[in-house]
Amino acid sequence: AEHIGSPEESIKYLIKADRQLAAVEKLMEAEIPDRLEIAFFPCRAAEWDCLHSIYMAARQDKDCDAYCVPIPYYSLSPDGTWGESYEGNEDYPQDVQITGWNEYEFEVRKPDIIFIHDAKDGMGTDGRTDPRFYSDNLRGYTERLVYVPHYVLTDIKSDMRNGLERMRRSCAWPGIA
């Protein structure tokens, strides 16, 4: 064993080490989250089924806070104008806890993961989400943006011109990167 001096000097080192350890623990608690925060941003309840099982798994994880935050959706009216719609509490299954889109401040909360099921970012001809929820904006406030399509692409053969075009469009939305 190495001699570090008198007992008084040893006590000083132990006290200093104890203070440094306490400071490190405090910093770790502040800087390293022990919980994962996940936000789900669906825009149409009819398409929620693609996110539901992921949401339920996150809700069951004791180290995770999961939020379902339905966002405004603008549909194209027959007269060519955009109409706003919002599907909230009554449109989702009862086992889904809804947080209002105007209550969940993702810019402040900066969730670890954000799930979306609309990646068109204003390029859709039938409807679009509020620009605040476009993928380019969301990417700046999360570690991971995940797109889960609300449809299944069937096998497409090379001679299926419409199918190939549909696949090309489905893979070229701004929110898919």
Side-chain angles (χ1 to χ4, degrees):
E2 186 177 321
H3 180 63
I4 57 172
S6 68
E8 292 82 16
E9 206 171 321
S10 296
I11 291 172
K12 284 182 193 176
Y13 283 116
L14 285 173
I15 291 171
K16 185 176 181 180
D18 188 50
R19 286 184 187 147
Q20 288 176 338
L21 181 59
V24 168
E25 287 174 346
K26 186 175 180 180
L27 183 64
M28 286 178 63
E29 285 178 18
E31 297 294 323
I32 302 174
D34 57 346
R35 298 189 62 74
L36 189 65
E37 183 165 327
I38 302 176
F40 295 81
F41 291 153
C43 56
R44 292 176 299 279
E47 297 167 356
W48 170 248
D49 59 337
C50 68
L51 295 172
H52 189 249
S53 62
I54 303 167
Y55 168 81
M56 293 307 294
R59 288 274 315 269
Q60 292 172 2
D61 185 333
K62 66 180 178 52
D63 295 322
C64 181
D65 294 319
Y67 297 89
C68 177
V69 186
I71 59 176
Y73 181 77
Y74 303 92
S75 55
L76 183 62
S77 301
D79 66 0
T81 60
W82 291 98
E84 181 178 359
S85 66
Y86 174 74
E87 299 173 2
N89 291 349
E90 64 279 349
D91 298 302
Y92 287 82
Q94 289 190 357
D95 61 355
V96 177
Q97 187 176 357
I98 300 296
T99 301
W101 67 272
N102 52 357
E103 297 168 19
Y104 186 84
E105 298 176 330
F106 67 85
E107 298 95 339
V108 174
R109 299 182 70 95
K110 297 183 179 174
D112 300 292
I113 304 171
I114 294 176
F115 283 92
I116 59 172
H117 68 87
D118 186 328
K120 297 175 188 171
D121 286 2
M123 295 183 70
T125 56
D126 58 339
R128 58 186 62 168
T129 59
D130 186 295
R132 181 174 165 232
F133 298 96
Y134 286 178
S135 61
D136 278 348
N137 188 47
L138 294 176
R139 280 189 188 102
Y141 298 101
T142 186
E143 298 273 330
R144 181 163 295 151
L145 179 64
V146 180
Y147 167 62
V148 179
H150 57 83
Y151 55 86
V152 175
L153 280 177
T154 57
D155 288 339
I156 297 175
K157 298 180 180 20
S158 61
D159 60 342
M160 297 174 62
R161 184 177 203 99
N162 289 341
L164 288 172
E165 177 60 22
R166 194 173 79 238
M167 178 181 271
R168 185 192 64 73
R169 281 194 323 264
S170 296
C171 296
W173 297 120
I176 303 172

